[in-house]
Amino acid sequence: MLILGLDPGSLSFGIGILRKEKGHFAHIHSETIKLKDKDFVLRMQELWDRLEKLTAAFPVDQAAMEEGFLGENIRSMSLLSMVRGVAMAALLNRRLPLSLYAPRQIKLALTGYGNADKEQVAKMAALVLNIKGRKLGMDESDALAVAYCHGVSR
């Protein structure tokens, strides 16, 4: 089974794909999509296009995404909600089953500690998934953590 994990962001969007077979996980692909255009709508078009290409290139069986969190900046929360909506629509368009997980649940599944910081998540993702020879970006490792959380939750 291939699991796609998503860590949404309006400028930097994390992608992680894991294979789960007989209780073992393998890193298949991960990246950070940098959405550079100044126009938000054009960034969302780019995100849609990238997710379409990614799901066409990898025969993903299931997808998981980090749920939004409540912050104090209403504009940022609104933008992030729209980003999550575009990502959800791209996955639903492909009829991919999608599960949502709270940040604390994701951290707990990977690190054993629900309040782990981003560096701890990145280190554990590399360790658990046996990723050597390259440093994972924070959004990328968060996306892998989402995919891992989904895999152990099933």
Side-chain angles (χ1 to χ4, degrees), residues 4 7-8 19 23 37-38 49-51 53 70 76 88 93 103-105 114 116 118 123 129 138 154:
L4 170 63
D7 179 46
R19 178 181 314 281
D37 203 294
K38 289 186 179 189
D49 293 343
R50 295 287 298 273
L51 289 173
K53 287 178 186 171
L70 298 176
S76 294
M88 288 178 77
N93 189 50
R104 186 174 172 82
Q105 184 180 4
K118 285 191 169 283
K123 285 180 184 177
L129 300 171
M138 294 298 169
R154 296 282 154 206

Side-chain angles (χ1 to χ4, degrees), residues 117-134:
D117 62 28
K118 285 191 169 283
E119 289 78 18
Q120 290 170 307
V121 170
K123 285 180 184 177
M124 281 303 290
L127 182 67
V128 168
L129 300 171
N130 199 27
I131 299 171
K132 298 177 182 171
R134 75 180 187 99

Side-chain angles (χ1 to χ4, degrees), residues 70-145:
L70 298 176
E72 292 183 25
N73 187 327
I74 293 172
R75 184 175 191 284
S76 294
M77 286 176 28
S78 174
L79 289 176
L80 189 54
S81 293
M82 288 188 273
V83 171
R84 293 178 70 243
V86 167
M88 288 178 77
L91 298 175
L92 294 172
N93 189 50
R94 290 223 176 243
R95 303 279 192 247
L96 282 173
L98 175 64
S99 298
L100 304 174
Y101 296 95
R104 186 174 172 82
Q105 184 180 4
I106 295 164
K107 294 173 187 178
L108 184 64
L110 181 66
T111 69
Y113 179 58
N115 291 326
D117 62 28
K118 285 191 169 283
E119 289 78 18
Q120 290 170 307
V121 170
K123 285 180 184 177
M124 281 303 290
L127 182 67
V128 168
L129 300 171
N130 199 27
I131 299 171
K132 298 177 182 171
R134 75 180 187 99
K135 183 175 168 51
L136 293 172
M138 294 298 169
D139 299 306
E140 183 181 8
S141 62
D142 285 352
L144 289 168

Side-chain angles (χ1 to χ4, degrees), residues 58-70:
F58 295 95
V60 175
D61 301 299
Q62 297 182 12
M65 184 165 38
E66 185 176 72
E67 286 181 345
F69 60 92
L70 298 176

Side-chain angles (χ1 to χ4, degrees), residues 15-54:
I15 300 287
I17 301 175
L18 300 179
R19 178 181 314 281
K20 182 183 178 187
E21 284 183 5
K22 299 178 184 174
H24 297 286
F25 291 88
H27 174 260
I28 301 300
H29 175 80
S30 57
E31 66 179 286
T32 299
I33 299 173
K34 296 290 186 185
L35 302 166
K36 297 178 183 174
D37 203 294
K38 289 186 179 189
D39 182 274
F40 180 76
V41 174
L42 292 176
R43 288 198 316 258
M44 294 305 93
Q45 182 64 59
E46 180 183 355
L47 176 61
W48 177 279
D49 293 343
R50 295 287 298 273
L51 289 173
E52 282 289 309
K53 287 178 186 171
L54 185 83

